[in-house]
Amino acid sequence: MIVPLVRKEARELLPLFALAALVQLVLLVSAMGWLPKTVNIVGEPTNIPFYNPLADGDVIFLFIFVGFAFAVLCGLWQTLSELMRGTFHFLLHRPLARSRIFGVKLAVGATACLLLTVLPILGYAVWAATPGTHASPFFWSLTGRAWLLCLGIVVIYLATFLSGLRPARWYGSRFWPVALALFSAYVLHGMPLAWLITAGALTAIGALYVVAILHVAYARDFS
């Protein structure tokens, strides 16, 4: 029963994931300078890779922006489309606990978010670490903030999933979980914490969102 659920979630997210992955691939090859100048999106690869990943126009910023957009659409699609089509009625009557059904949805969505952000950043890091590709220093320790941003994308996905699942008003408190996640990310970004502490804080926030999602899944009447 678990495997068919995984296939269903993966199949429904595949078009959106493929489109976002194509954008990430174009950004990656553009940042590497492999595209002609007339169609180059990122520009000349003159910036120091990973030196300031959130600078406007930096390829890491663009990777994270695409990942953010995918995370929001993914969280809404996995909840609102099921509610609008009445698919939850079918899913929740399967001989499986609600925690497993929603656990599968969250696992597939979180994995898709991580693949969509980690893989292009890893490809860019491997390119930057290869001698002869660019005229600037590179250390793997510079990539730490980029990995933390990938973890933050998963938190945004969980917050959006919770917003889509909660029975609240659209013009009221429905998107409070997303606002709280963005505020938490902003505060963590501004604090001079070690990367391990920041990663632990993001993991703890994500765990709280998972608990909240499972609580809403149990408490909400889907009939």
Side-chain angles (χ1 to χ4, degrees), residues 43-106:
E44 293 294 330
T46 55
N47 295 331
I48 299 176
F50 296 96
Y51 181 71
N52 188 9
L54 285 182
D56 188 21
D58 189 277
V59 69
I60 302 300
F61 172 83
L62 297 175
F63 284 149
I64 295 301
F65 179 79
V66 174
F68 174 83
F70 175 80
V72 170
L73 293 176
C74 179
L76 293 178
W77 179 260
Q78 285 187 301
T79 50
L80 295 184
S81 67
E82 306 279 27
L83 290 169
M84 295 174 65
R85 293 180 300 173
T87 317
F88 271 133
H89 298 164
F90 173 79
L91 289 177
L92 299 180
H93 282 82
R94 299 300 92 193
L96 276 178
R98 289 191 178 189
S99 59
R100 289 196 174 189
I101 294 174
F102 283 91
V104 168
K105 296 177 77 69
L106 294 177

Side-chain angles (χ1 to χ4, degrees), residues 52-186:
N52 188 9
L54 285 182
D56 188 21
D58 189 277
V59 69
I60 302 300
F61 172 83
L62 297 175
F63 284 149
I64 295 301
F65 179 79
V66 174
F68 174 83
F70 175 80
V72 170
L73 293 176
C74 179
L76 293 178
W77 179 260
Q78 285 187 301
T79 50
L80 295 184
S81 67
E82 306 279 27
L83 290 169
M84 295 174 65
R85 293 180 300 173
T87 317
F88 271 133
H89 298 164
F90 173 79
L91 289 177
L92 299 180
H93 282 82
R94 299 300 92 193
L96 276 178
R98 289 191 178 189
S99 59
R100 289 196 174 189
I101 294 174
F102 283 91
V104 168
K105 296 177 77 69
L106 294 177
V108 173
T111 300
C113 290
L114 283 175
L115 288 176
L116 198 63
T117 49
V118 168
L119 289 183
I121 290 175
L122 179 61
Y124 185 59
V126 170
W127 172 82
T130 304
T133 54
H134 61 95
S136 56
F138 174 80
F139 302 97
W140 279 97
S141 58
L142 292 173
T143 64
R145 287 181 70 191
W147 307 130
L148 290 176
L149 290 170
C150 295
L151 193 55
I153 290 297
V154 176
V155 175
I156 294 297
Y157 158 72
L158 293 172
T160 309
F161 191 102
L162 179 59
S163 294
L165 193 64
R166 292 176 68 234
R169 294 180 183 274
W170 288 108
Y171 48 85
S173 63
R174 187 110 184 192
F175 281 106
W176 282 9
V178 178
L180 182 60
L182 291 174
F183 177 74
S184 301
Y186 175 78

